[in-house]
Amino acid sequence: MAVVIAVRFKTNSKSYYFDPLDFEIVKGESVIVETTRGVEIGEVTMDRTDVPESDIVAPLKKVLRIATDEDKEHAKENREKEKWALEVCHAKISQHNLDMKLIDVEYTFDNNKLLFYFTSEGRVDFRELVKDLASVFKTRIELRQIGVRDEAKILGGIGVCGRCLCCKSFLGDFHPVSIKMAKEQGLSLNPTKISGSCGRLMCCLKYEQDAYEYLLSKTPNVGAIVDTNRGRGVVMSVSLLKELLKVKLDDGNVADLVEFSVDEVKLIKNPAKRSREKAGAEENQDSPMDDGKIEEAADVGEIDDINDINEIDDISDINEIDDIDDINDIGALEGIDGINGIDVISDESIPAID
C-alpha cells in the first residue's frame, strides 16, 4: 500500500495520484506538483489515502509544496496570458491560411511551455506557424490535435435534454459507448436522436446500461416458451423496466393475454435469444474487419460514431487524440512527439516571458 492524494488540473478533469510526503494536505487545497511536462498547480480532490501499488502509475510524482497566495496569483496571470495567446494564434492561423480550428490554449505553471489544442479534418502542416508562435511568446510551443468529444468538453454547450453537457459539467473521463447500447435500451437508431453535440453517440447511453444488461439477462425474449402457474405459454410482449410479461397460454384465446412478472415464470425455451446470438456470429463473420483488426479496435475502446462503423479499415489510421485528459496524463507525455499531427518546437536560446 502507498499513501497518496489525488490532484486534478482542470475542472471536471481526471485526477492523478501524487506522493504527499509529510505535508498536511486536505481536500480542496491547491498544491504545486512535479509532472512529466513540468511544474503545475492543481486542486486536491482526495485526502491522504492508502491505495494498492497496482493502482499507481509509476513513477509516482511528488508534491513540491502547498500553493501560496503568490502561486495562486501567478496562476491567474497565466490565465490572462492565455487569452492573449489565443487571439495571437487565431491571427497567425488566418495569416498562414491553415485548415484548423483552435480550441484552447494552456500555459504550464512555470511558463516553460505553451500548449495549443486544435481540431482539423486531416493532417495540418503547421511548422511555419510554430516558428512564428515561438518568436512571439519566447517559450516552447506545442500544438496538439484533439477529437470532437474533447472539443465539446472544452467549449461546453446544451444537450438535447436541456441541461449543460455532461462532459463539461461533471464527467471526468470518457467511457466507451456503442450502438449496441442503444439497441439494448430500445432507443431509435436514428443518428440525429442518439448523437450528442459532438456528433458522437451520447455519453448518457452508458449511465443505465448496467441495469439494462441485468434485466435482459433475466427476462425472456418475445417468442420464448415459459411455464406459469396457469400452464405453459408463449411470451408475446415484454415490459423490460417493469419486469412484466404478457403470455399467450396454450389453452387460451389469442386475444386473451395474461400478464405475469418475470419472477412468476420459468423459462423453458428461448429461441429468440439463440437466433440473435447466431445472427451476431454471422455478422461478425461477414464483418470487413478481420480478427486482428477487431483486437486492435478493442484496444482503443468501442467505435463510438455510428457513421464511421463501416468506414474504418484500420484503426491505426486514426490520428486524433480522443481524450485531452490523456494528453495531460502525468505519465502519458513520454514520447508524445511521435503522435501524428503533433509538432513541437523549442527555442532554448530565447528567455521565457517574465
Side-chain angles (χ1 to χ4, degrees):
M1 302 290 282
V3 178
V4 300
I5 61 170
V7 179
R8 67 181 178 192
F9 302 98
K10 287 188 175 182
T11 305
N12 302 319
S13 65
K14 290 180 181 177
S15 294
Y16 304 97
Y17 289 147
F18 287 88
D19 184 353
L21 299 179
D22 296 327
F23 293 109
E24 293 296 330
I25 302 173
V26 296
K27 182 178 178 180
E29 278 190 312
S30 296
V31 292
I32 306 299
V33 295
E34 176 190 356
T35 72
T36 304
R37 71 178 191 181
V39 177
E40 292 284 6
I41 185 170
E43 179 189 358
V44 178
T45 58
M46 183 182 74
D47 294 325
R48 298 171 69 102
T49 306
D50 291 329
V51 299
E53 296 283 350
S54 58
D55 292 347
I56 298 174
V57 178
L60 182 63
K61 299 293 185 177
K62 300 177 180 179
V63 174
L64 299 180
R65 63 180 183 273
I66 298 175
T68 63
D69 292 338
E70 290 78 9
D71 292 329
K72 296 176 183 178
E73 186 62 31
H74 181 64
K76 290 181 181 179
E77 292 174 359
N78 283 347
R79 301 293 84 80
E80 293 300 319
K81 290 180 182 179
E82 289 168 1
K83 296 177 182 178
W84 173 60
L86 192 68
E87 295 176 1
V88 171
C89 190
H90 272 303
K92 294 294 184 181
I93 290 173
S94 300
Q95 180 181 332
H96 290 276
N97 195 27
L98 296 175
D99 184 19
M100 55 190 292
K101 180 182 178 183
L102 186 62
I103 303 301
D104 195 22
V105 180
E106 181 182 358
Y107 261 110
T108 57
F109 179 76
D110 53 10
N111 296 123
N112 284 336
K113 190 183 298 182
L114 182 58
L115 300 99
F116 295 87
Y117 300 101
F118 72 95
T119 59
S120 177
E121 293 291 334
R123 297 176 183 271
V124 180
D125 182 3
F126 43 68
R127 287 173 290 185
E128 294 302 319
L129 172 64
V130 174
K131 291 177 182 178
D132 281 356
L133 293 174
S135 66
V136 172
F137 297 106
K138 306 293 189 291
T139 189
R140 186 181 181 189
I141 301 295
E142 289 191 16
L143 273 77
R144 294 184 174 177
Q145 186 172 357
I146 61 175
V148 291
R149 299 177 80 186
D150 286 307
E151 177 185 359
K153 181 170 185 171
I154 294 172
L155 300 180
I158 303 297
V160 294
C161 58
R163 299 175 64 90
C164 180
L165 297 181
C166 298
C167 56
K168 179 67 175 180
S169 56
F170 66 88
L171 277 185
D173 194 9
F174 290 115
H175 299 285
V177 184
S178 68
I179 194 68
K180 177 185 175 185
M181 295 180 181
K183 292 179 181 178
E184 291 182 342
Q185 295 176 30
L187 301 176
S188 168
L189 300 185
N190 185 334
T192 61
K193 294 185 177 181
I194 57 175
S195 297
S197 300
C198 59
R200 302 291 181 88
L201 292 176
M202 292 188 293
C203 295
C204 55
L205 292 177
K206 178 69 176 176
Y207 299 166
E208 298 178 352
Q209 181 61 20
D210 291 344
Y212 275 94
E213 289 179 356
Y214 169 72
L215 292 174
L216 287 169
S217 68
K218 60 180 288 191
T219 304
N221 291 293
V222 173
I225 300 174
V226 296
D227 267 343
T228 72
N229 55 10
R230 295 180 55 179
R232 183 164 295 185
V234 178
V235 177
M236 302 303 292
S237 69
V238 176
S239 178
L240 191 62
L241 297 180
K242 293 180 179 180
E243 299 186 52
L244 295 176
L245 309 172
K246 287 189 177 180
V247 179
K248 180 176 77 70
L249 300 176
D250 289 347
D251 58 350
N253 190 294
V254 176
D256 297 331
L257 300 181
V258 183
E259 190 171 75
F260 297 94
S261 70
V262 173
D263 296 331
E264 292 176 337
V265 302
K266 180 180 179 181
L267 180 63
I268 303 300
K269 191 175 181 181
N270 207 4
K273 177 173 286 189
R274 282 206 297 271
S275 298
R276 184 168 59 185
E277 291 172 352
K278 182 178 179 182
E282 293 173 352
E283 183 179 347
N284 288 336
Q285 291 175 0
D286 296 336
S287 172
M289 281 189 173
D290 59 27
D291 291 341
K293 289 178 181 178
I294 290 174
E295 290 177 2
E296 288 185 51
D299 288 340
V300 295
E302 298 181 71
I303 298 170
D304 61 357
D305 190 340
I306 60 178
N307 296 319
D308 293 341
I309 288 177
N310 296 322
E311 297 177 5
I312 297 177
D313 293 326
D314 190 343
I315 202 69
S316 63
D317 289 337
I318 298 177
N319 299 324
E320 291 186 348
I321 300 170
D322 202 34
D323 191 338
I324 195 169
D325 290 323
D326 286 339
I327 294 174
N328 292 330
D329 194 329
I330 304 312
L333 295 181
E334 296 292 342
I336 196 72
D337 296 351
I339 295 178
N340 290 333
I342 298 178
D343 200 356
V344 178
I345 270 208
S346 176
D347 192 344
E348 301 294 342
S349 63
I350 303 176
I353 298 175
D354 292 331

